[in-house]
Amino acid sequence: MLRLEPRAHESMWAAWLSPVLALAMTIVTGFLIFSVMGKDPAATLYIYFLQPLASASGLSEVAAKAGPLVLIAIGLSFGFRAGIWNIGAEGQYILGAIVGGGVAVFLHDSTSAALLPCMLVFGVLGGMLWAGIPALLKTRFNANEILVSLMLVYVAELLLVYLVHGPWRNPQGWGFPGTRNFPDAAVLPLFSPQHRLHWGLFAALVAPFIAWCMVAKSRFGFRVRLFGSAPLAARHAGVKSKRMIWSTLLIGGGLAGLAGVIEVSGTIGQLMPNISPGYGFTAIIVVFLGRLHPLGVLLAGVAIAVTYIGGENAQIVAGLPKAVTGLFQGVILFYKLAFDLITRYRVVIRHAYTA
């Protein structure tokens, strides 16, 4: 019979090679899927994976998609390293957009230069508020943070729908759901009027390097790693479990909220019922594809952003269904987990003996 046994030593090269192999196998799988669907696999793969990188407009769209993915994934990586599973980043993203965007809704006539920084701060606080609920329930009642954070996603979505259909709906919007357009003072400046790339990209570029310094060089980063790898030893070393739960969940929520307010103030310009294509859930794939390493998360965020833009191109040019984007993201995660299993365990054949 076949059994899995832990390897005595996990190869660092194999561990870092697994995301590359996962992407390669995803392309091979895509070749087979497109062939079965009756599409030209080579042309469709080009449209899906290479066309988004072949023009300045495509690159700007990839960067615009990668920004929120990277920010959310960086925040989640702290909790995942510590063994604290925040699955509700989508809700924290939405709450950040609501709280930060709400400042622009109420101050829609403002021209103050302080409006945009105020929105960003309130966006972070909104995400932290929503992440603080599972943190409170976890530390006070030992509630499962996975279930609590996940259920709060649907509460946040319904709250957003209520606001944009009800009290915050634009009175001059002809009845369509959505708030007033944000004033110019509340909109992130664009790099170029021809593209949607805005200055919020700097947050996504700076966050991985700050996170790397925190994880690799700070006492807090050491405590996070220790708490995730050896919780009992961490407690003997004086690491407070409640403090770790609060800090990692608040970091994840704050960065998700920042991503939400940056998205509505930079790319969208108002609050609408659908302000996210599922960034909070997709960021979980980004975290594991980047192996929880901040710089790996940055590269993984770009790779997953390509699947979003490539999926949109494939819908228009090749007539593929929208679900193909989610399919490819799921396939990437499947292969990543499969290769991680191989790098950590080896298959052993054991013979069953009968008396």
Side-chain angles (χ1 to χ4, degrees), residues 11 95 105 124 160 165 187 217 220 231 273 276 327 344:
S11 170
L95 249 291
V105 172
V124 172
L160 175 63
H165 280 85
V187 177
K217 305 295 183 180
F220 173 73
S276 170
L327 172 65
R344 294 174 182 174

Side-chain angles (χ1 to χ4, degrees), residues 34 37-48 51 310-322 324:
F34 294 144
M37 296 176 67
K39 306 292 183 181
D40 181 351
T44 310
L45 284 172
Y46 173 81
I47 293 170
Y48 203 98
Q51 193 176 65
E312 294 172 359
N313 292 341
Q315 290 178 57
I316 297 171
V317 179
L320 292 176
K322 183 180 179 181
V324 171

Side-chain angles (χ1 to χ4, degrees), residues 19-344:
V20 179
L21 293 175
L23 291 172
M25 287 302 299
T26 300
I27 294 174
V28 173
T29 303
F31 188 94
L32 297 175
I33 291 173
F34 294 144
S35 299
V36 171
M37 296 176 67
K39 306 292 183 181
D40 181 351
T44 310
L45 284 172
Y46 173 81
I47 293 170
Y48 203 98
F49 290 105
L50 296 180
Q51 193 176 65
L53 306 175
S55 64
S57 61
L59 288 171
S60 68
E61 289 297 315
V62 169
K65 292 286 187 184
L69 287 174
V70 171
L71 275 176
I72 299 171
I74 288 295
L76 292 179
S77 67
F78 282 93
F80 290 178
R81 277 183 178 274
I84 300 163
W85 303 98
N86 177 11
I87 308 299
E90 180 79 359
Q92 295 145 28
Y93 168 96
I94 293 172
L95 249 291
I98 290 174
V99 177
V103 177
V105 172
F106 284 103
L107 302 177
H108 58 86
D109 291 328
S110 175
T111 59
S112 172
L115 179 59
L116 185 57
C118 184
M119 289 173 60
L120 297 178
V121 171
F122 271 77
V124 172
L125 293 177
M128 293 175 70
L129 171 66
W130 217 237
I133 297 174
L136 175 64
L137 296 178
K138 174 75 172 177
T139 55
R140 187 70 180 271
F141 304 106
N142 198 29
N144 188 295
E145 74 275 15
I146 297 175
L147 296 177
V148 175
S149 60
L150 180 60
M151 289 188 292
L152 285 172
V153 172
Y154 305 104
V155 179
E157 290 176 343
L158 292 173
L159 177 61
L160 175 63
V161 169
Y162 164 73
L163 290 173
V164 299
H165 280 85
W168 288 7
R169 185 169 61 181
N170 185 1
Q172 300 174 343
W174 303 95
F176 290 99
T179 65
R180 299 174 183 267
N181 290 330
F182 293 168
D184 291 341
V187 177
L188 285 164
L190 298 174
F191 284 105
S192 168
Q194 286 80 27
H195 307 300
R196 295 196 306 158
L197 193 60
H198 50 76
W199 288 90
L201 176 65
F202 280 115
L205 292 176
V206 171
F209 293 95
I210 295 177
W212 177 79
C213 291
M214 290 179 65
V215 170
K217 305 295 183 180
S218 72
R219 182 178 298 177
F220 173 73
F222 171 75
R223 288 176 175 175
V224 168
R225 299 196 309 272
L226 181 63
F227 191 83
S229 59
L232 185 59
R235 292 188 181 94
H236 285 302
V239 179
K240 304 294 185 182
S241 61
K242 291 185 178 181
R243 182 178 299 176
M244 184 60 61
I245 292 169
W246 273 100
S247 58
T248 53
L249 282 172
L250 290 182
I251 289 173
L255 286 177
L258 178 61
V261 71
I262 285 177
E263 185 72 5
V264 296
S265 64
T267 305
I268 302 174
Q270 64 176 149
L271 288 174
M272 302 171 61
N274 298 314
I275 58 174
S276 170
Y279 287 136
F281 295 118
T282 307
I284 297 173
I285 300 176
V286 173
V287 174
F288 287 107
L289 192 62
R291 296 202 61 82
L292 304 181
H293 192 285
L295 302 184
V297 166
L298 177 61
L299 296 176
V302 174
I304 296 299
V306 169
T307 67
Y308 274 116
I309 305 304
E312 294 172 359
N313 292 341
Q315 290 178 57
I316 297 171
V317 179
L320 292 176
K322 183 180 179 181
V324 171
T325 299
L327 172 65
F328 271 102
Q329 292 173 355
V331 168
I332 290 174
L333 180 60
F334 170 79
Y335 282 124
K336 171 63 174 59
L337 295 177
F339 285 122
D340 278 354
L341 183 69
I342 295 173
T343 59
R344 294 174 182 174

